[in-house]
Amino acid sequence: MLKARVITAVVLLGIFLPVLWLAPLIWLGALLALVITLASWEWWRLLFPNNKKRAISYAGICLLNLATWFMYAGMDAVQLLLWITLGFWIVIVPLIMKQSLEFDLKKWRWPLVISGLFIFPACWFALMYLRGISMTLFLSVLVLVWVADIGAYFAGKAFGKNKLAIRLSPGKSIEGAVGGCILVLIIALLGGLVLDNVELFQLNYFALLTEKLGWLGMVAITILCVAMSIQGDLFESQLKRIAGVKDSSHLLPGHGGFLDRIDALLPVLPVAGLIVILITQ
């Protein structure tokens, strides 16, 4: 398993890093669109575990929807898309998660199918908007989510005693979540205090928040983003448990599926994208 994880990670980095650093921006957009399309394919398979044949059709519809937004939607429409997606994560998802494993997926399948047509394009637009402003801005938002996950893992291993949501994800603990949040806040403080004075890092997410909203605003939004990343992870865990599967797919040996890799990003990106839009207008 470890060997498969390492090989898969190396292959993915070998594809992603050259496209990110060396290729024209449109190549990054195409690569991210591929990831989003495969994640939407997995989304259907979680919602319809006994009817996976139409997953390819749904993924195609999501890609077509993304292409339509890209070609015809203006900035105001994209901003509306991000608001709708944010509303899904802060209103609808908590209601679903409150029901834990008693959640009746049969009644919610089609609303969630429709929601996916907003969730995945919103993720793509947020990423591309951040990258269009600055590579550092783009990477710092990703780092926020990755550091929260890494910090939660190690803090949970070392100190975890109280389960965060034992029925949805038995391995996650409150101590782990707090540890992940603390590690992100340390990175955020460094980003706002130190890295904004280095030319390469002038447009990192934390420095931008500090400049526009002050230290308190930066800390508050950082904590919100960490909380949203945890929510995304737990929500996918809920859907997987109800569907009776361990991973969203087996497309990434040792890692599960693409949805497993981006579940924490899905709710964070609309928040980060909207905040950047609002404070830079």
Side-chain angles (χ1 to χ4, degrees):
M1 179 64 74
L2 178 59
K3 182 179 179 180
R5 288 178 67 89
V6 171
I7 292 174
T8 301
V10 170
V11 171
L12 290 176
L13 288 174
I15 297 172
F16 180 72
L17 292 180
V19 171
L20 181 63
W21 290 100
L22 302 175
L25 187 59
I26 190 64
W27 286 33
L28 177 63
L31 181 59
L32 293 176
L34 175 61
V35 172
I36 292 302
T37 302
L38 292 173
S40 65
W41 175 77
E42 295 167 347
W43 179 260
W44 176 278
R45 287 162 57 90
L46 289 182
L47 298 179
F48 293 90
N50 298 320
N51 184 13
K52 299 177 180 179
K53 294 182 179 179
R54 296 182 181 178
I56 295 178
S57 299
Y58 179 68
I61 292 172
C62 284
L63 180 59
L64 179 62
N65 184 47
L66 171 58
T68 302
W69 278 90
F70 176 71
M71 290 187 293
Y72 299 109
M75 194 60 206
D76 289 341
V78 170
Q79 191 170 338
L80 177 61
L81 173 65
L82 294 176
W83 278 114
I84 292 173
T85 305
L86 180 59
F88 170 80
W89 286 108
I90 65 175
V91 177
I92 304 300
V93 171
L95 293 176
I96 294 175
M97 292 180 63
K98 187 177 180 180
Q99 300 176 53
S100 188
L101 300 183
E102 284 70 48
F103 171 62
D104 190 351
L105 182 59
K106 293 181 180 179
K107 293 181 179 179
W108 280 83
R109 278 173 176 160
W110 285 105
L112 288 175
V113 164
I114 295 171
S115 298
L117 298 178
F118 295 93
I119 294 170
F120 296 109
C123 178
W124 187 90
F125 277 107
L127 282 169
M128 293 303 293
Y129 181 77
L130 295 171
R131 175 61 186 90
I133 296 176
S134 162
M135 175 75 78
T136 310
L137 185 61
F138 172 86
L139 290 176
S140 57
V141 173
L142 298 183
V143 165
L144 185 157
V145 176
W146 294 337
V147 168
D149 185 54
I150 293 170
Y153 175 80
F154 285 105
K157 285 288 186 180
F159 310 109
K161 294 181 179 179
N162 301 289
K163 299 301 182 182
L164 181 64
I166 189 169
R167 298 187 68 194
L168 300 184
S169 186
K172 289 182 172 54
S173 66
I174 295 175
E175 293 83 359
V178 172
C181 187
I182 291 174
L183 185 57
V184 171
L185 286 175
I186 292 173
I187 299 296
L189 292 172
L190 289 173
L193 182 63
V194 179
L195 299 183
D196 61 332
N197 294 316
V198 181
E199 183 177 355
L200 177 63
F201 296 100
Q202 282 183 347
L203 282 176
N204 78 79
Y205 185 56
F206 310 111
L208 181 63
L209 292 177
T210 303
E211 178 186 353
K212 299 294 185 178
L213 303 175
W215 288 102
L216 185 60
M218 184 273 285
V219 169
I221 289 175
T222 299
I223 293 174
L224 172 64
C225 288
V226 172
M228 296 294 284
S229 73
I230 295 171
Q231 181 194 54
D233 195 337
L234 289 176
F235 180 54
E236 198 219 357
S237 294
Q238 180 184 20
L239 293 182
K240 287 192 295 186
R241 286 189 172 275
I242 292 173
V245 298
K246 180 180 179 182
D247 299 311
S248 58
S249 77
H250 301 290
L251 292 177
L252 300 174
H255 292 266
F258 284 93
L259 193 58
D260 296 321
R261 298 301 94 208
I262 68 170
D263 54 1
L265 280 169
L266 290 176
V268 173
L269 289 170
V271 175
L274 276 172
I275 288 173
V276 171
I277 290 172
L278 294 174
I279 66 179
T280 57
Q281 284 182 339

